[in-house]
Amino acid sequence: MGKLVYAANTSLDGFLEDETGSFDWSVPDEEVHAFWNAHERGIGTSLYGRRMYETMRVWEDDDWLTGEPAVVREYAEIWRDADKVVYSSTLEEVSTARTRIERRFEPEAVRALKEASRSDLSIGGATIGAEAFRHGLVDECVLLLCPVVVGGGKPALPRGIRLDLELLDHRRFGNGVIYVRHAVRNAA
């Protein structure tokens, strides 16, 4: 059985993107990129909302990667090797391999996917992540806290619910980013 892991870069005040929709403050350096590469190697399936999928699908294209460091090119390979499920009622088609669209987020279907999986699953995107938290589906929460306060924007964690967490791991990177990994103790 795979664990469902919510993973995100977040500002110190808890936002995925600022009020203008920007997240340029969370672009990883090579050390942080290597961390994400190691993390993503353990993921067999990534669950995305439409907007997160549209952000991530850039990893399918090689054209822009030619001049990038090896760690960035390696992430593209890791991303391509994972299965992807996009939850969207409006997306007509996907433009990446190993990707399928689900029109609705069905908690029981995600539970079944977790039970059938031999590897962990990740969930990315604020809206879809909040749904997974609300239904008790998230087993772990991995956050990279960026040393910036953006003052508002899209919250990284759902509002209006309580989550009891247990710290499993933490680390400080040279650029000031802090990694924290928590088990969600009240996950279903």
Side-chain angles (χ1 to χ4, degrees):
M1 179 170 164
K3 294 179 297 205
L4 182 60
V5 180
Y6 176 76
N9 293 315
T10 178
S11 65
L12 191 57
D13 54 345
F15 296 98
L16 296 174
E17 48 187 57
D18 65 23
E19 290 175 335
T20 68
S22 178
F23 53 89
D24 59 345
W25 43 266
S26 70
V27 173
D29 65 8
E30 286 194 31
E31 181 186 23
V32 172
H33 225 302
F35 166 84
W36 278 127
N37 290 2
H39 171 79
E40 291 294 318
R41 274 190 207 95
I43 301 299
T45 304
S46 295
L47 311 179
Y48 295 121
R50 180 191 53 82
R51 286 192 61 220
M52 180 59 78
Y53 169 70
E54 289 175 341
T55 299
M56 296 300 291
R57 68 183 178 194
V58 67
W59 296 104
E60 190 80 6
D61 183 19
D62 279 331
D63 293 344
W64 70 276
L65 290 169
T66 16
E68 294 296 322
V71 71
V72 174
R73 293 190 310 274
E74 180 184 15
Y75 182 86
E77 291 172 22
I78 295 165
W79 188 84
R80 291 173 193 161
D81 285 344
D83 293 325
K84 292 160 271 303
V85 179
V86 182
Y87 295 92
S88 174
S89 60
T90 59
L91 191 65
E92 294 293 325
E93 61 185 31
V94 294
S95 60
T96 57
R98 302 182 69 156
T99 307
R100 75 175 197 268
I101 298 173
E102 292 290 337
R103 295 296 171 202
R104 291 175 15 110
F105 183 83
E106 298 286 346
E108 290 311 313
V110 175
R111 277 189 184 88
L113 189 59
K114 283 173 57 173
E115 289 173 13
S117 183
R118 293 184 219 215
S119 56
D120 289 341
L121 302 92
S122 71
I123 189 156
T127 304
I128 204 76
E131 280 301 303
F133 277 114
R134 284 188 182 91
H135 289 284
L137 295 167
V138 177
D139 300 293
E140 290 185 5
C141 184
V142 171
L143 297 176
L144 266 62
L145 308 174
C146 300
V148 62
V149 173
V150 298
K154 186 178 286 186
L157 295 168
R159 304 288 187 204
I161 66 169
R162 177 183 168 143
L163 298 169
D164 293 323
L165 306 173
E166 176 186 344
L167 182 64
L168 299 175
D169 197 9
H170 67 284
R171 174 179 169 190
R172 181 184 185 281
F173 293 95
N175 65 359
V177 168
I178 304 291
Y179 150 72
V180 291
R181 180 174 143 243
H182 289 90
V184 179
R185 289 193 281 173
N186 56 346

